[in-house]
Amino acid sequence: MYARLIGTGSALPQTEVTNDALAQRLAQDGIETNDEWIRTRTGIEARFLADASLGEGTTQLAVLAAERALAAAELTPADIDLIICATTTPDQIFPSTACQVQAKLGAAGGAAFDVQAVCAGFLYALNVADSMLTSGKFKRALVIGAETLSRVLDWKDRSTCVLFGDGAGAVVLEASDDAGILACKTYADGRLGTDVLGLTGHLDNGVLAGDPFIRMDGRQVFKCAVEGLSTSGKAVCDEVGVDPSDVALFVPHQANLRIMTMVAKKLGIDMDKMAKTVACHGNTSAASVPLALDVAVRAGNVNKGELILLQGVGAGMAWGSCLLRY
Ligand code: ACO
């Protein structure tokens, strides 16, 4: 029994903000940055930012992405008995984003819950969905990554605020005898904790306690990301007995083009096979992998029967890789 990928979808907020436009906005608060710095250090050229006044938020983006994935799979919400949503930026603490998505889709009755593994969230959600489908207990799953990280960025901290964007991506997985997910591995090292990448803000007796913004040691994250993605990518390929160069589509977490390029080189994967939506989306955290996957699938960059390698890494530190046959 396999969990087979049968549909993808994604959604972005309406407002695109280029590096130049962002630099102009930040300059109004006396923060200096420029397109050249952002592009050469990260590969990012623009990002999409959610606007609450337009009704945009994590749940709304998740629902749109899910509807598009269901349409691609030629299914209706009633066909789904499991919804897992990876998010670090839910619109509210509870009920979960997955339950809200279930309600908005009209898919009540199945299981629905969120997974919180920050930028590695989609890989963790995929691993959980794979286990639940191959156990025989569930038939069809919607696995979603959705984020509005723009709400937790310190717009006065130029070392973080230029990196992120908002969005959502979703996949439909079906329990099947035909090949799908071949290997999925997730890891964490909690010792590389809040000091490396964290957001400590929380509610305490009706008031906000801690720091409400993302804080990051960029160089540490860089090193952990390259190491975690390279070793986990190799581990799933070894488990299946294929060489990473056999992969037809490589979708690493879209955080930084320099990280992605180093990982592709270490794995021996041709750069032409790598999804590179980080340029136009920025880092959308748990949404980045399903968003980039959907763009690649819709562009015809992978054919049925070919191998896809998906990878996530984020705060925790947490990371993982998934090798699947499309
Ligand atoms: N514009 C202009 N200058 C800037 C900016 C900016 N937006 N941000 C920082 N600088 C300056 C710094 O102040 C510093 O100036 P100084 O030398 O005068 O002190 C200089 O640029 C160099 O700063 P560094 O932090 O050393 O730059 P570095 O080359 O390490 O690049 C970066 C920083 C891009 C964050 C890099 O470390 C990185 O990509 N790390 C990975 C982080 C990441 O991907 N995080 C995403 C979240 S986690 C995840 O998704 C896995």
Side-chain angles (χ1 to χ4, degrees), residues 176-191:
S176 169
D177 292 332
D178 297 330
I181 291 178
L182 304 174
C184 198
K185 289 177 176 287
T186 42
Y187 309 85
D189 185 346
R191 293 169 301 179

Side-chain angles (χ1 to χ4, degrees), residues 132-214:
M132 293 176 77
L133 290 172
T134 55
S135 75
K137 288 186 180 171
F138 295 85
K139 289 192 172 61
R140 290 189 202 92
L142 251 176
V143 185
I144 306 166
E147 303 274 21
T148 46
L149 251 75
S150 61
R151 295 179 307 173
V152 292
L153 293 174
D154 179 353
W155 294 101
K156 292 192 164 49
D157 175 4
R158 66 180 182 174
S159 67
T160 53
C161 73
V162 301
L163 303 177
F164 296 95
D166 302 328
V171 299
V172 181
L173 298 174
E174 182 175 55
S176 169
D177 292 332
D178 297 330
I181 291 178
L182 304 174
C184 198
K185 289 177 176 287
T186 42
Y187 309 85
D189 185 346
R191 293 169 301 179
L192 305 166
T194 312
D195 293 345
V196 175
L197 184 55
L199 197 173
T200 61
H202 59 281
L203 292 176
D204 187 2
N205 283 310
V207 292
L208 174 71
D211 182 344
F213 300 124
I214 291 178

Side-chain angles (χ1 to χ4, degrees), residues 32-34 37-38 41-42 119 158-160 162-164 197 216-219 221-222 225 253-256 258-259 283 285 313-315 317:
E32 276 179 45
T33 189
N34 56 74
W37 192 98
I38 302 169
R41 305 270 172 148
T42 70
C119 300
R158 66 180 182 174
S159 67
T160 53
V162 301
L163 303 177
F164 296 95
L197 184 55
M216 179 181 78
D217 176 343
R219 292 192 172 188
V221 172
F222 199 106
H253 173 45
Q254 307 284 305
N256 179 316
R258 287 193 301 158
I259 295 175
N283 179 352
S285 187
V313 58
M317 294 292 290

Side-chain angles (χ1 to χ4, degrees), residues 22-32 154-157:
L22 184 62
Q24 276 176 25
R25 275 195 203 182
L26 297 181
Q28 289 168 9
D29 286 325
I31 310 299
E32 276 179 45
D154 179 353
W155 294 101
K156 292 192 164 49
D157 175 4

